[in-house]
Amino acid sequence: MIVRKNNIFLLQTPHTSWLFHILPSGHPEHLHYGRSLLSRQVYESLAENAAQDTGEMLSQFEEALREKHIYGGGNMIAYDQAHTNLCLEDLCLEMSSFGKGDIRDPFVEITHQDGSSTCDFLFEKAEITEGRKPLETLPGSYDDGTDQGADSVQQLTVTMYDHGYGVHLELIYTVYPDCDVITRSACIIYDGAQEDSGITLNRLMSTQIDFHDSGYRFTSFHGRWADEMQRSDALCTAGKVVNEELVAGESGSRSNPFVMISREETTEDQGECYGMNLIYSGNHYEALSSNGYDKSRFVCGIQPTGFSWKLHGGEHFEAPEAVMTWSDEGMNGMSRHMHDFVRKHIVRGSWRDRERPILVNSWEASYFKFTQASLLNLAKAAKSAGIELFVLDDGWFGQRDDDHRSLGDWTENLKKLPDGLKGLSEKINALGMMFGIWVEPEMLNEDSDLFRAHPDWAIRVPGHAHSQGRNQMLLDLTRSEVQQYVIDAMSKVFSSGNITYVKWDMNRIFSDTYSQALDADRQQEVSHRYVCGLYHCMDELTKRFPDILFEGCSSGGNRFDLGILCYFPQIWGSDDTDAVCRIDIQHGYSYGYPASTIGAHVSASPNHQTLNRSPLETRFEVAAFGCLGYELNLCDLSDAEKKEIADQVAFYKEWRHVFQFGDYYRLEKDRWMATEKDGSRAAVMIFRRESRPNRDTVTLTARGMNTDAAYHLTNRYVNVALKDFGSLINSMDLPVHVKQDGIMHDIANRFVTIHNEEENMTVSGCVLNGCGVRLKPFYAGTGFGNDGGVRVCRSGDSRIYLLEALR
């Protein structure tokens, strides 16, 4: 809810408050964001009767939280002679700019016609409305209309005005009480004459949060191709900590736009934690700074480096929407707020709440080398395992036998697919499976009919050598005719067969960023115009094909962000399918993104990216905490492996809702948990990164269990073979010596059954949430009874434990 009394504004969710007021000078002073200023009783009373008088309460908050400055300090700048005690450098604000004394990271930067960069935005008016008004040029969060009463969505628009230069600035706040989330965006409107030379916008952030103290921990997530979302913590006591994507053109695997701010002592389950994200897919900037007055400032928005935007009279520019939440239940509490928000107010369309199908992808099974017959053999093997969706990856179009040619030429290669996409999809459907396709619509190769016909459609600097990535160039999506080509070409592809899934890839970053359709003084608009053009294409295509499940991809996780999720319900998390690497990658994603948005596949061993080996069960259990798929040649597997995958698929279908839509908890390093929101079922994964002898005790703890309920605890059984014990077989009472991996060893392995551990106990939710349960011991180098009482769990092994409430 949003409450206003005169010039005091309270934005309230069940557990958080955002409070600011307008100073006599017209500046918006930020007073508080974090723990609720209202008791639960007062909040519920306001929710039932929003018309009740809150003036005295808000005035008390204002008096308690405003800064009481009487004098300016030393060499700080006084705002004006009427407010000599107002020094913006030592004040918490809702927005900031240069020129009037605030020398911290600014919210907005403008170069005016006279060359000045001074801005002086002061309060003009404010309006509270029901629901959320969407942005005109960018995707954003949405109100699905299901939240009523106290949970209804409201929006506050605060209009600021710079009288000296005739520029309006709108600060837009939206409150989502059901998720404890507040969003912000901004809009610059130039009121000058259409024929004048206009202004140049050099920076417009999406949000600004000023804190009254310093020493916060800034957590960001970094990496590179095939190694995304590695967590990094930095304590900001002075100076500035920055998370940014400078000029890559995408939200990026180098620095994801999701960040956290917390106290140094905050843990996964305890302490205050803020989570922030940006609904944007281009270059971005997030920064936490601390100044000499022990104040901290967080800003985020479009990357100002390399950006500018010309505005003439009557024109406006919108900043992307920023998403913010707070929890005093540690990082896990913050993540649950963010996950709920993404599922309900970012992801949309027919697949928003639907369980994602289990797929097989042809890429690592065959790369570019396939025939229609080999694809059908793979599909038949997948169908036998219970897999639901067959995805044909790269190589099906033009002369695409490698990655040097044919991007942009979206016609079937009839040599590989004699029946075309239509015929192949019909054959896949006849097996009882859905059919999906891979595309890379934003790209073209120099060796393509499209480039030969339209060389000016490529992003590159005319007359200069172009630096390519993956032997390809970017289509200039700043141009409306190029956008229309993408829309028309993809519409033809998506209509060519019964296609129910599309993987939309983008396999390079920007270089030589230049559009031949824009004047020289507008070249710093290219990156943002590209993103807006991309959104137009995605918006049009998802509306034309509302029943297709789209999955975003950009060399894996190079564009994993909320902007893409506004159109595509899920994104491929990483091109690295190594299970051990994926544990760290998916752990990183889990802080800001729900499992239902993360594509995760079981691949071959040794892994194609690392050559590491890992058990098939571990590969499955890691991928299960996401949208499960398989990406290996099922035809080449042994009968035992095929049976194991069939068992995995059947199990996943039974527990799919828990994995994809359950509340997610990070228990400790290498331990994850997902639980139904009602606490009726839960799955816990424990990964053993390193096995050591004489350490046999393991304790299983849980979160989110009903304390009044009793649970049946079991584990997903993991087969162990006699040969896994190697030459230890000779420690048994045998009449002959058995050579390891010899003929006798192979014979014994076929006929001797090894019994791994099986958990089967009843335990209360109170115990699970508290001290936890002691599980059966690890094999610790001192014996194995082969009676199900000892757990064989080696380095690289994992276990899923299942908790089901007893009725």
Side-chain angles (χ1 to χ4, degrees), residues 368 394-411 438-452 457 468-475 485 489-490 505-508:
F368 292 106
D394 197 357
W396 59 267
F397 54 92
Q399 302 303 312
R400 188 73 169 170
D401 295 323
D402 53 41
D403 62 7
H404 287 71
R405 56 188 54 82
S406 293
L407 281 175
D409 301 341
W410 298 106
T411 55
W438 175 97
V439 292
E440 194 171 2
E442 302 162 61
M443 298 291 160
L444 78 166
N445 289 121
E446 201 163 355
D447 184 3
S448 68
D449 293 339
L450 180 62
F451 180 76
R452 286 184 280 270
W457 282 11
Q468 296 190 15
R470 205 193 182 217
N471 310 302
Q472 60 197 52
M473 297 176 286
L474 287 152
L475 279 171
Y485 170 79
M490 291 301 103
D505 212 338
M506 199 271 199
N507 277 310
R508 59 156 294 178

Side-chain angles (χ1 to χ4, degrees), residues 698-711:
V698 61
T699 300
L700 173 69
T701 57
R703 300 288 183 271
M705 299 290 93
N706 295 327
T707 55
D708 295 328
Y711 290 86

Side-chain angles (χ1 to χ4, degrees), residues 10 12 39 51 103 288 309 333 394 428 448 451 465 484 486 493 504 522 604 615 665 670:
L10 174 65
Q12 185 69 40
S39 68
I103 58 175
L288 178 68
W309 196 274
D394 197 357
I428 298 294
S448 68
F451 180 76
Q484 195 58 51
V486 169
V493 170
W504 181 306
R522 288 189 175 270
Y665 296 84
D670 298 335

Side-chain angles (χ1 to χ4, degrees), residues 162-360:
D162 186 334
H163 293 266
Y165 288 105
V167 183
H168 278 99
L169 169 62
E170 291 181 344
L171 307 177
I172 305 165
Y173 304 75
T174 308
V175 179
Y176 289 92
D178 63 325
C179 303
D180 275 315
V181 162
I182 295 172
T183 75
R184 281 189 65 177
S185 56
C187 181
I188 283 282
I189 306 158
Y190 179 49
D191 296 338
Q194 180 65 40
E195 63 274 9
D196 70 24
S197 60
I199 62 174
T200 300
L201 179 65
N202 301 307
R203 168 195 287 235
L204 181 62
M205 293 290 101
S206 298
T207 191
Q208 173 179 311
I209 307 175
D210 284 1
F211 299 91
H212 291 85
D213 53 0
S214 64
Y216 286 91
R217 179 174 56 194
F218 185 73
T219 300
S220 51
F221 297 86
H222 305 273
R224 54 193 179 275
W225 172 74
D227 192 21
E228 299 88 342
M229 293 301 288
Q230 306 302 310
R231 176 178 161 177
S232 174
D233 295 332
L235 197 63
C236 187
T237 56
K240 182 164 66 174
V241 182
V242 176
N243 176 71
E244 63 182 351
E245 198 68 52
L246 267 169
V247 294
E250 303 169 80
S251 52
S253 55
R254 282 78 169 174
S255 300
N256 192 272
F258 172 77
V259 298
M260 301 186 295
I261 296 174
S262 60
R263 298 291 184 180
E264 190 175 8
E265 64 272 14
T266 296
T267 67
E268 290 288 2
D269 296 309
Q270 296 179 336
E272 295 185 69
C273 182
Y274 297 86
M276 290 87 163
N277 210 337
L278 192 66
I279 306 177
Y280 191 61
S281 305
N283 300 324
H284 57 90
Y285 176 83
E286 296 79 34
L288 178 68
S289 57
S290 298
N291 70 0
Y293 300 93
D294 294 321
K295 287 183 169 62
S296 298
R297 169 170 292 172
F298 171 77
V299 294
C300 82
I302 294 173
Q303 170 64 258
T305 299
F307 166 84
S308 68
W309 196 274
K310 298 283 290 185
L311 287 175
H312 293 282
E315 294 180 343
H316 69 280
F317 181 89
E318 295 176 317
E321 187 178 11
V323 178
M324 300 162 289
T325 190
W326 172 93
S327 175
D328 63 353
E329 296 180 350
M331 299 173 195
N332 272 325
M334 178 280 302
S335 293
R336 290 193 297 278
H337 293 171
M338 196 65 79
H339 292 179
D340 287 345
F341 179 80
V342 172
R343 287 192 182 108
K344 187 172 182 181
H345 299 293
I346 294 294
V347 177
R348 61 205 75 194
S350 62
W351 283 95
R352 186 188 81 164
D353 301 321
R354 290 172 63 183
E355 294 179 6
R356 312 292 194 259
I358 305 168
L359 64 84
V360 62

Side-chain angles (χ1 to χ4, degrees), residues 710-721:
Y711 290 86
H712 183 209
L713 185 154
T714 58
N715 65 294
R716 185 172 154 72
Y717 185 78
V718 177
N719 288 313
V720 178

